[in-house]
Amino acid sequence: MREIKVFVPGKIIIAGEHAVVYQKLALATSIGLGVKVRVTSSSKTEEIKNDEKGLIKAAVEIAGGIDKVSVFVESQLPIGSGLGSSAALAAAVIKGVKEFLGSTITDDELFQMTFEVEKIAHGNASGIDPATVIYRGLIAYRKGEPFERLKIKTPIKLLLINSGKPQESTKEMVELVGANPNKISIIDKVEKVVLLIKERLVAGESIQDQLDENGLLLEELGVVGEKAKQISSLLRAIGCGVKITGAGGVKSGSGMMIVVCPDYSKAKKLLDNRGIKYFETEIGEV
Ligand code: PMV
């Protein structure tokens, strides 16, 4: 049987999430983990299992595949935890279905369609997730403008920690920020620190302190829960810079966190001792 296989990577937002919804600059990179999709023929689109938020169905529909294809998904990304699972899933399904039906799709067309589908999960979305997973690499993104591709001199090592799956959706977290009466002044501060991180990344300088500042501003915005705050304090006490990446969450987990440290062995020991899972990655690795 004819089949099409597509892989789309996940992403991390290095800095500027939430502020990016308000037309501020944000930095993001694609990562090695992602979503694999297999598309085969079918005379009827069967009910799709595990289709959280109806994203797969919406993606098959926008690609014109309803009652023509079967879609099988294998995701390496934790769902709704800030690694771009919704965008990667939607993009992979749309690309797979289009290719299966014999049409070519440009990255710009794929971005537009994925953005439409992703609004189901994000509501007032900025488009940074689909842009990063489709165009790949390290990008500076401002809503409604062409993105800028960044080149960095030296890859930057970091740890990714899972603080637990957020109970809230990205849409709910974006709404929560919308209701914060101090959001404008906090978001202005976020943009200043994002611009600095961009400069320092490109110049090959440490971004540890600036990432940490962005992390504290996200706490002020009200998107970081108790568990993530506790992990952050432990890591800050040994000199690391910490921030959540993505929409966050306050009721239980806050999704993935980025950690940059002067001494990674110390940080890993601390995390191992507390049974906190992490994995190592690099900005500029892709
Ligand atoms: O999907 P997440 O959890 O990575 O969040 C996306 C980033 C936000 O700024 C919170 C929302 C958006 O659309 O930009």
Side-chain angles (χ1 to χ4, degrees), residues 243-263:
K243 71 177 276 291
I244 59 147
T245 178
V250 284
K251 291 184 188 156
S252 59
S254 307
M256 302 303 283
M257 299 168 72
I258 303 180
V259 183
V260 179
C261 301
D263 179 355

Side-chain angles (χ1 to χ4, degrees), residues 12 158-162 245 256-258 277-279 281:
I12 51 176
L158 48 89
L159 297 181
L160 273 177
I161 299 180
N162 195 344
T245 178
M256 302 303 283
M257 299 168 72
I258 303 180
K277 291 208 173 69
Y278 58 85
F279 59 95
T281 185

Side-chain angles (χ1 to χ4, degrees), residues 11 13 17-18 20-21 82 84 122 124-129 170 174 246-247:
K11 65 99 213 352
I13 296 181
E17 52 275 90
H18 285 293
V20 69
V21 171
H122 281 203
N124 182 18
S126 67
I128 189 167
D129 285 12
T170 297
V174 168

Side-chain angles (χ1 to χ4, degrees), residues 156-222:
I156 295 182
K157 230 180 166 177
L158 48 89
L159 297 181
L160 273 177
I161 299 180
N162 195 344
S163 75
K165 187 175 179 330
Q167 256 181 44
E168 305 90 335
S169 64
T170 297
K171 186 168 183 273
E172 284 166 324
M173 294 312 293
V174 168
E175 283 164 7
L176 196 67
V177 171
N180 183 326
N182 304 319
K183 66 172 184 287
I184 300 298
S185 74
I186 303 170
I187 281 165
D188 282 346
K189 287 184 203 156
V190 171
E191 171 147 75
K192 286 204 181 87
V193 79
V194 170
L195 290 168
L196 204 56
I197 292 173
K198 184 182 166 207
E199 262 176 38
R200 296 182 68 91
L201 262 180
V202 174
E205 290 164 1
S206 162
I207 56 166
Q208 186 182 307
D209 294 348
Q210 293 72 25
L211 270 191
D212 200 54
E213 204 177 322
N214 191 177
L216 291 167
L217 289 167
L218 284 161
E219 290 184 18
E220 265 187 63
L221 268 183

